[in-house]
PDB file of all heavy atoms in Angstrom:
ATOM      1  N   ILE A  16     -33.141  58.023  -4.962  1.00 96.00           N
ATOM      2  CA  ILE A  16     -32.034  58.970  -5.401  1.00 96.00           C
ATOM      3  C   ILE A  16     -32.488  60.317  -5.700  1.00 96.00           C
ATOM      4  O   ILE A  16     -31.932  61.280  -5.143  1.00 96.00           O
ATOM      5  CB  ILE A  16     -31.156  58.245  -6.333  1.00 96.00           C
ATOM      6  CG1 ILE A  16     -30.646  56.914  -6.050  1.00 96.00           C
ATOM      7  CG2 ILE A  16     -30.139  59.237  -6.988  1.00 96.00           C
ATOM      8  CD1 ILE A  16     -29.839  56.308  -7.211  1.00 96.00           C
ATOM      9  N   ASP A  17     -33.543  60.454  -6.562  1.00 94.00           N
ATOM     10  CA  ASP A  17     -34.001  61.778  -6.669  1.00 94.00           C
ATOM     11  C   ASP A  17     -34.505  62.488  -5.361  1.00 94.00           C
ATOM     12  O   ASP A  17     -34.248  63.654  -5.268  1.00 94.00           O
ATOM     13  CB  ASP A  17     -35.186  61.589  -7.689  1.00 94.00           C
ATOM     14  CG  ASP A  17     -34.893  61.254  -9.097  1.00 94.00           C
ATOM     15  OD1 ASP A  17     -33.607  61.523  -9.411  1.00 94.00           O
ATOM     16  OD2 ASP A  17     -35.580  60.786  -9.898  1.00 94.00           O
ATOM     17  N   SER A  18     -35.010  61.848  -4.511  1.00 95.00           N
ATOM     18  CA  SER A  18     -35.558  62.339  -3.304  1.00 95.00           C
ATOM     19  C   SER A  18     -34.441  62.936  -2.447  1.00 95.00           C
ATOM     20  O   SER A  18     -34.412  63.977  -1.946  1.00 95.00           O
ATOM     21  CB  SER A  18     -36.273  61.398  -2.336  1.00 95.00           C
ATOM     22  OG  SER A  18     -36.762  61.900  -1.234  1.00 95.00           O
ATOM     23  N   VAL A  19     -33.212  62.175  -2.485  1.00 95.00           N
ATOM     24  CA  VAL A  19     -32.114  62.591  -1.708  1.00 95.00           C
ATOM     25  C   VAL A  19     -31.430  63.889  -2.444  1.00 95.00           C
ATOM     26  O   VAL A  19     -31.145  64.903  -1.798  1.00 95.00           O
ATOM     27  CB  VAL A  19     -31.038  61.520  -1.685  1.00 95.00           C
ATOM     28  CG1 VAL A  19     -29.808  62.027  -1.013  1.00 95.00           C
ATOM     29  CG2 VAL A  19     -31.645  60.386  -0.724  1.00 95.00           C
ATOM     30  N   LEU A  20     -31.352  63.858  -3.753  1.00 95.00           N
ATOM     31  CA  LEU A  20     -30.647  64.935  -4.515  1.00 95.00           C
ATOM     32  C   LEU A  20     -31.480  66.230  -4.455  1.00 95.00           C
ATOM     33  O   LEU A  20     -30.867  67.151  -4.327  1.00 95.00           O
ATOM     34  CB  LEU A  20     -30.512  64.521  -5.964  1.00 95.00           C
ATOM     35  CG  LEU A  20     -29.624  63.369  -6.239  1.00 95.00           C
ATOM     36  CD1 LEU A  20     -29.593  63.069  -7.709  1.00 95.00           C
ATOM     37  CD2 LEU A  20     -28.190  63.606  -5.756  1.00 95.00           C
ATOM     38  N   LYS A  21     -32.714  66.004  -4.302  1.00 95.00           N
ATOM     39  CA  LYS A  21     -33.580  67.270  -4.141  1.00 95.00           C
ATOM     40  C   LYS A  21     -33.305  68.147  -2.942  1.00 95.00           C
ATOM     41  O   LYS A  21     -33.512  69.289  -2.860  1.00 95.00           O
ATOM     42  CB  LYS A  21     -35.146  66.951  -4.254  1.00 95.00           C
ATOM     43  CG  LYS A  21     -35.617  66.538  -5.593  1.00 95.00           C
ATOM     44  CD  LYS A  21     -37.082  66.118  -5.421  1.00 95.00           C
ATOM     45  CE  LYS A  21     -37.664  65.683  -6.864  1.00 95.00           C
ATOM     46  NZ  LYS A  21     -39.001  65.200  -6.883  1.00 95.00           N
ATOM     47  N   LYS A  22     -32.859  67.453  -1.786  1.00 93.00           N
ATOM     48  CA  LYS A  22     -32.536  68.019  -0.648  1.00 93.00           C
ATOM     49  C   LYS A  22     -31.082  68.657  -0.510  1.00 93.00           C
ATOM     50  O   LYS A  22     -30.802  69.254   0.436  1.00 93.00           O
ATOM     51  CB  LYS A  22     -32.720  66.999   0.582  1.00 93.00           C
ATOM     52  CG  LYS A  22     -34.045  66.415   0.716  1.00 93.00           C
ATOM     53  CD  LYS A  22     -34.098  65.434   1.635  1.00 93.00           C
ATOM     54  CE  LYS A  22     -35.595  64.781   1.621  1.00 93.00           C
ATOM     55  NZ  LYS A  22     -35.482  63.604   2.642  1.00 93.00           N
ATOM     56  N   ARG A  23     -30.297  68.530  -1.574  1.00 92.00           N
ATOM     57  CA  ARG A  23     -28.940  69.087  -1.576  1.00 92.00           C
ATOM     58  C   ARG A  23     -28.900  70.303  -2.295  1.00 92.00           C
ATOM     59  O   ARG A  23     -29.077  70.378  -3.561  1.00 92.00           O
ATOM     60  CB  ARG A  23     -28.063  67.985  -2.288  1.00 92.00           C
ATOM     61  CG  ARG A  23     -28.280  66.663  -1.556  1.00 92.00           C
ATOM     62  CD  ARG A  23     -27.044  65.848  -1.620  1.00 92.00           C
ATOM     63  NE  ARG A  23     -27.134  64.765  -0.633  1.00 92.00           N
ATOM     64  CZ  ARG A  23     -26.109  63.842  -0.370  1.00 92.00           C
ATOM     65  NH1 ARG A  23     -24.962  63.985  -1.080  1.00 92.00           N
ATOM     66  NH2 ARG A  23     -26.274  62.886   0.524  1.00 92.00           N
ATOM     67  N   PRO A  24     -28.621  71.416  -1.674  1.00 90.00           N
ATOM     68  CA  PRO A  24     -28.641  72.812  -2.222  1.00 90.00           C
ATOM     69  C   PRO A  24     -27.658  72.944  -3.386  1.00 90.00           C
ATOM     70  O   PRO A  24     -27.862  73.871  -4.230  1.00 90.00           O
ATOM     71  CB  PRO A  24     -28.466  73.743  -1.068  1.00 90.00           C
ATOM     72  CG  PRO A  24     -27.689  72.896  -0.059  1.00 90.00           C
ATOM     73  CD  PRO A  24     -28.230  71.602  -0.169  1.00 90.00           C
ATOM     74  N   LEU A  25     -26.610  72.189  -3.355  1.00 93.00           N
ATOM     75  CA  LEU A  25     -25.512  72.477  -4.435  1.00 93.00           C
ATOM     76  C   LEU A  25     -25.838  71.618  -5.756  1.00 93.00           C
ATOM     77  O   LEU A  25     -25.175  71.798  -6.641  1.00 93.00           O
ATOM     78  CB  LEU A  25     -24.131  72.029  -3.867  1.00 93.00           C
ATOM     79  CG  LEU A  25     -23.567  72.902  -2.663  1.00 93.00           C
ATOM     80  CD1 LEU A  25     -22.181  72.471  -2.382  1.00 93.00           C
ATOM     81  CD2 LEU A  25     -23.713  74.476  -2.981  1.00 93.00           C
ATOM     82  N   GLU A  26     -26.858  70.691  -5.718  1.00 95.00           N
ATOM     83  CA  GLU A  26     -27.127  70.025  -6.822  1.00 95.00           C
ATOM     84  C   GLU A  26     -28.285  70.981  -7.558  1.00 95.00           C
ATOM     85  O   GLU A  26     -29.035  71.727  -6.992  1.00 95.00           O
ATOM     86  CB  GLU A  26     -27.921  68.731  -6.486  1.00 95.00           C
ATOM     87  CG  GLU A  26     -27.115  67.752  -6.011  1.00 95.00           C
ATOM     88  CD  GLU A  26     -26.070  67.021  -7.042  1.00 95.00           C
ATOM     89  OE1 GLU A  26     -26.080  67.410  -8.218  1.00 95.00           O
ATOM     90  OE2 GLU A  26     -25.306  66.135  -6.609  1.00 95.00           O
ATOM     91  N   ASP A  27     -28.081  71.034  -8.941  1.00 95.00           N
ATOM     92  CA  ASP A  27     -28.982  71.845  -9.836  1.00 95.00           C
ATOM     93  C   ASP A  27     -29.786  70.818 -10.672  1.00 95.00           C
ATOM     94  O   ASP A  27     -29.435  70.429 -11.684  1.00 95.00           O
ATOM     95  CB  ASP A  27     -28.221  72.800 -10.667  1.00 95.00           C
ATOM     96  CG  ASP A  27     -29.062  73.696 -11.499  1.00 95.00           C
ATOM     97  OD1 ASP A  27     -30.185  73.342 -11.663  1.00 95.00           O
ATOM     98  OD2 ASP A  27     -28.503  74.727 -11.971  1.00 95.00           O
ATOM     99  N   LEU A  28     -30.991  70.376 -10.162  1.00 95.00           N
ATOM    100  CA  LEU A  28     -31.736  69.298 -10.756  1.00 95.00           C
ATOM    101  C   LEU A  28     -32.154  69.603 -12.194  1.00 95.00           C
ATOM    102  O   LEU A  28     -32.272  68.838 -13.035  1.00 95.00           O
ATOM    103  CB  LEU A  28     -32.864  68.790  -9.825  1.00 95.00           C
ATOM    104  CG  LEU A  28     -32.373  68.206  -8.469  1.00 95.00           C
ATOM    105  CD1 LEU A  28     -33.576  67.565  -7.818  1.00 95.00           C
ATOM    106  CD2 LEU A  28     -31.323  67.187  -8.795  1.00 95.00           C
ATOM    107  N   PRO A  29     -32.690  70.873 -12.401  1.00 96.00           N
ATOM    108  CA  PRO A  29     -33.187  71.311 -13.836  1.00 96.00           C
ATOM    109  C   PRO A  29     -32.021  71.079 -14.776  1.00 96.00           C
ATOM    110  O   PRO A  29     -32.085  70.642 -15.887  1.00 96.00           O
ATOM    111  CB  PRO A  29     -33.589  72.646 -13.661  1.00 96.00           C
ATOM    112  CG  PRO A  29     -34.145  72.784 -12.253  1.00 96.00           C
ATOM    113  CD  PRO A  29     -33.127  72.009 -11.450  1.00 96.00           C
ATOM    114  N   THR A  30     -30.891  71.537 -14.367  1.00 97.00           N
ATOM    115  CA  THR A  30     -29.690  71.422 -15.343  1.00 97.00           C
ATOM    116  C   THR A  30     -29.237  69.981 -15.371  1.00 97.00           C
ATOM    117  O   THR A  30     -28.916  69.602 -16.680  1.00 97.00           O
ATOM    118  CB  THR A  30     -28.391  72.158 -14.674  1.00 97.00           C
ATOM    119  OG1 THR A  30     -28.787  73.639 -14.656  1.00 97.00           O
ATOM    120  CG2 THR A  30     -27.128  72.031 -15.498  1.00 97.00           C
ATOM    121  N   LEU A  31     -29.278  69.247 -14.430  1.00 97.00           N
ATOM    122  CA  LEU A  31     -28.896  67.765 -14.412  1.00 97.00           C
ATOM    123  C   LEU A  31     -29.863  67.076 -15.370  1.00 97.00           C
ATOM    124  O   LEU A  31     -29.396  66.387 -16.278  1.00 97.00           O
ATOM    125  CB  LEU A  31     -29.061  67.221 -13.025  1.00 97.00           C
ATOM    126  CG  LEU A  31     -28.751  65.650 -12.951  1.00 97.00           C
ATOM    127  CD1 LEU A  31     -27.356  65.400 -13.295  1.00 97.00           C
ATOM    128  CD2 LEU A  31     -28.984  65.257 -11.494  1.00 97.00           C
ATOM    129  N   SER A  32     -31.142  67.320 -15.288  1.00 97.00           N
ATOM    130  CA  SER A  32     -32.188  66.858 -16.207  1.00 97.00           C
ATOM    131  C   SER A  32     -31.996  67.142 -17.609  1.00 97.00           C
ATOM    132  O   SER A  32     -32.001  66.250 -18.513  1.00 97.00           O
ATOM    133  CB  SER A  32     -33.627  67.187 -15.719  1.00 97.00           C
ATOM    134  OG  SER A  32     -34.542  66.567 -16.509  1.00 97.00           O
ATOM    135  N   SER A  33     -31.649  68.317 -17.875  1.00 98.00           N
ATOM    136  CA  SER A  33     -31.414  68.897 -19.183  1.00 98.00           C
ATOM    137  C   SER A  33     -30.283  68.212 -19.962  1.00 98.00           C
ATOM    138  O   SER A  33     -30.307  67.754 -21.067  1.00 98.00           O
ATOM    139  CB  SER A  33     -31.232  70.425 -19.181  1.00 98.00           C
ATOM    140  OG  SER A  33     -32.367  71.125 -18.835  1.00 98.00           O
ATOM    141  N   ILE A  34     -29.143  67.983 -19.010  1.00 98.00           N
ATOM    142  CA  ILE A  34     -27.798  67.451 -19.710  1.00 98.00           C
ATOM    143  C   ILE A  34     -28.209  65.973 -19.983  1.00 98.00           C
ATOM    144  O   ILE A  34     -27.812  65.331 -21.071  1.00 98.00           O
ATOM    145  CB  ILE A  34     -26.724  67.606 -18.723  1.00 98.00           C
ATOM    146  CG1 ILE A  34     -26.377  69.072 -18.543  1.00 98.00           C
ATOM    147  CG2 ILE A  34     -25.578  66.743 -19.169  1.00 98.00           C
ATOM    148  CD1 ILE A  34     -25.315  69.447 -17.506  1.00 98.00           C
ATOM    149  N   GLU A  35     -28.939  65.364 -19.005  1.00 98.00           N
ATOM    150  CA  GLU A  35     -29.102  63.884 -19.172  1.00 98.00           C
ATOM    151  C   GLU A  35     -30.077  63.618 -20.399  1.00 98.00           C
ATOM    152  O   GLU A  35     -29.950  62.602 -21.081  1.00 98.00           O
ATOM    153  CB  GLU A  35     -29.790  63.271 -17.939  1.00 98.00           C
ATOM    154  CG  GLU A  35     -28.753  63.329 -16.827  1.00 98.00           C
ATOM    155  CD  GLU A  35     -29.218  62.619 -15.475  1.00 98.00           C
ATOM    156  OE1 GLU A  35     -30.440  62.541 -15.292  1.00 98.00           O
ATOM    157  OE2 GLU A  35     -28.333  62.247 -14.725  1.00 98.00           O
ATOM    158  N   LYS A  36     -31.014  64.620 -20.686  1.00 98.00           N
ATOM    159  CA  LYS A  36     -31.900  64.457 -21.972  1.00 98.00           C
ATOM    160  C   LYS A  36     -31.033  64.555 -23.140  1.00 98.00           C
ATOM    161  O   LYS A  36     -31.232  63.881 -24.230  1.00 98.00           O
ATOM    162  CB  LYS A  36     -32.942  65.438 -21.828  1.00 98.00           C
ATOM    163  CG  LYS A  36     -34.042  65.145 -20.778  1.00 98.00           C
ATOM    164  CD  LYS A  36     -35.175  66.265 -20.713  1.00 98.00           C
ATOM    165  CE  LYS A  36     -36.153  65.930 -19.696  1.00 98.00           C
ATOM    166  NZ  LYS A  36     -37.127  67.079 -19.584  1.00 98.00           N
ATOM    167  N   LEU A 197     -23.246  65.583  -8.543  1.00 97.00           N
ATOM    168  CA  LEU A 197     -23.627  64.721  -9.650  1.00 97.00           C
ATOM    169  C   LEU A 197     -23.845  65.685 -10.812  1.00 97.00           C
ATOM    170  O   LEU A 197     -23.468  65.591 -12.003  1.00 97.00           O
ATOM    171  CB  LEU A 197     -24.797  63.945  -9.483  1.00 97.00           C
ATOM    172  CG  LEU A 197     -25.400  63.141 -10.702  1.00 97.00           C
ATOM    173  CD1 LEU A 197     -24.285  62.123 -11.188  1.00 97.00           C
ATOM    174  CD2 LEU A 197     -26.627  62.321 -10.229  1.00 97.00           C
ATOM    175  N   THR A 198     -24.382  66.899 -10.557  1.00 97.00           N
ATOM    176  CA  THR A 198     -24.504  67.942 -11.657  1.00 97.00           C
ATOM    177  C   THR A 198     -23.235  68.312 -12.300  1.00 97.00           C
ATOM    178  O   THR A 198     -23.182  68.456 -13.453  1.00 97.00           O
ATOM    179  CB  THR A 198     -25.311  69.132 -11.004  1.00 97.00           C
ATOM    180  OG1 THR A 198     -26.494  68.761 -10.305  1.00 97.00           O
ATOM    181  CG2 THR A 198     -25.577  70.197 -11.995  1.00 97.00           C
ATOM    182  N   LYS A 225     -26.368  57.296 -10.418  1.00 96.00           N
ATOM    183  CA  LYS A 225     -27.689  56.937 -10.174  1.00 96.00           C
ATOM    184  C   LYS A 225     -28.267  56.027 -11.232  1.00 96.00           C
ATOM    185  O   LYS A 225     -29.247  55.296 -11.052  1.00 96.00           O
ATOM    186  CB  LYS A 225     -28.613  58.154  -9.980  1.00 96.00           C
ATOM    187  CG  LYS A 225     -28.834  59.122 -11.330  1.00 96.00           C
ATOM    188  CD  LYS A 225     -29.641  60.260 -11.038  1.00 96.00           C
ATOM    189  CE  LYS A 225     -29.916  61.103 -12.318  1.00 96.00           C
ATOM    190  NZ  LYS A 225     -30.834  60.501 -13.063  1.00 96.00           N
TER     191      LYS A 225
END
Side-chain angles (χ1 to χ4, degrees):
I16 292 175
D17 288 342
S18 178
V19 174
L20 294 178
K21 285 178 182 177
K22 299 174 184 177
R23 305 208 164 184
L25 298 184
E26 293 285 2
D27 184 342
L28 296 190
T30 296
L31 179 62
S32 176
S33 296
I34 294 173
E35 291 184 339
K36 287 177 181 178
L197 180 59
T198 305
K225 69 185 184 70

